[in-house]
Amino acid sequence: VLEQLQYEFGFIFKFRPDGTGAYIHVLQTSELSAAQTFTKDDITNLQINNMPFSELLTKMEINYEKHPAENRYLSSVTSTNSTARTSWNIQEKENISEVSLDMNVGTPNSSGQTDGNADFYSYYDNLFGDIKKIVTCDIVNPAVSYNLETGDIIQFSNTAGEMPVEPFGDNWADYYMITDLQRSPGKIKIQAREVG
């Protein structure tokens, strides 16, 4: 039940290193701010990948408003990211997921909204509706990494010459969420996923 709540409302619960609890979710892009911005002097072993094509989610058939007495749903909507479907040449019957919301009774939009937190579909379209970058690196500057933890939002410097490469011909203006963090003497290895 708790995992279903997390999925339907788009959050993850975790314990912080100091023992307090935290709810992690992705804010809309206009609300994002970086806990830290890195340059090439702060990192080594930089690797930039795209998320797997198999994680791309461009169309969802969403059932919601579960009937209180019968095993059925009162409403349904088909939500589509038509831009990504055209860009990636996804055919009519491909890349479709059926989702049944038992707890989230908000009405999902039929297309992703600018505010990723507007509804269920917009949230997941923001995360999986198009190919996103995944960055892995070692942070060797303890002054900028000692207090980082999973769920933190970071950026990489978008100033010319402050990063060793441009990511797939794009720039470094995007925000990234740390999804994996491993501490070892003298460095921290992170994996971060583009979120805005």
Side-chain angles (χ1 to χ4, degrees):
V1 171
L2 293 176
E3 287 177 357
Q4 186 173 359
L5 272 171
Q6 289 182 135
Y7 173 69
E8 289 191 21
F9 292 95
F11 69 89
I12 295 174
F13 177 81
K14 75 166 206 161
F15 286 105
R16 288 195 164 125
D18 64 3
T20 60
Y23 290 99
I24 299 170
H25 67 283
V26 178
L27 301 173
Q28 62 179 326
T29 303
S30 63
E31 297 174 332
L32 290 173
S33 63
Q36 195 59 253
T37 301
F38 301 106
T39 67
K40 64 182 176 185
D41 298 328
D42 300 319
I43 61 175
T44 61
N45 300 325
L46 177 67
Q47 296 178 354
I48 308 162
N49 296 305
N50 286 321
M51 68 181 232
F53 192 79
S54 59
E55 290 182 9
L56 186 64
L57 185 59
T58 59
K59 188 172 185 178
M60 296 175 85
E61 294 174 352
I62 304 170
N63 302 310
Y64 62 103
E65 292 182 341
K66 187 171 183 178
H67 192 283
E70 300 171 15
N71 192 19
R72 64 183 179 90
Y73 296 86
L74 300 173
S75 303
S76 66
V77 65
T78 300
S79 304
T80 307
N81 183 332
S82 55
T83 304
R85 290 183 74 80
T86 301
S87 297
W88 299 107
N89 195 26
I90 298 172
Q91 301 303 306
E92 184 180 336
K93 295 183 180 181
E94 294 178 336
N95 197 253
I96 301 171
S97 176
E98 184 173 355
V99 177
S100 296
L101 302 178
D102 293 346
M103 301 166 197
N104 186 340
V105 295
T107 304
N109 284 294
S110 60
S111 62
Q113 303 298 300
T114 306
D115 176 1
N117 292 315
D119 61 280
F120 176 83
Y121 179 71
S122 296
Y123 187 82
Y124 284 97
D125 181 58
N126 179 46
L127 295 176
F128 301 104
D130 207 349
I131 299 294
K132 304 288 185 177
K133 295 182 288 290
I134 298 174
V135 176
T136 305
C137 64
D138 295 335
I139 306 171
V140 294
N141 182 352
V144 298
S145 65
Y146 75 95
N147 62 345
L148 292 177
E149 58 183 277
T150 55
D152 284 350
I153 303 295
I154 60 169
Q155 278 191 298
F156 297 91
S157 178
N158 199 28
T159 304
E162 289 193 356
M163 288 299 288
V165 296
E166 297 298 322
F168 300 115
D170 195 5
N171 58 42
W172 288 104
D174 300 314
Y175 290 92
Y176 297 82
M177 179 181 277
I178 297 175
T179 56
D180 187 34
L181 185 139
Q182 300 169 11
R183 296 181 189 277
S184 59
K187 68 178 180 181
I188 294 176
K189 181 176 182 161
I190 65 166
Q191 182 177 51
R193 187 180 192 288
E194 179 186 350
V195 292

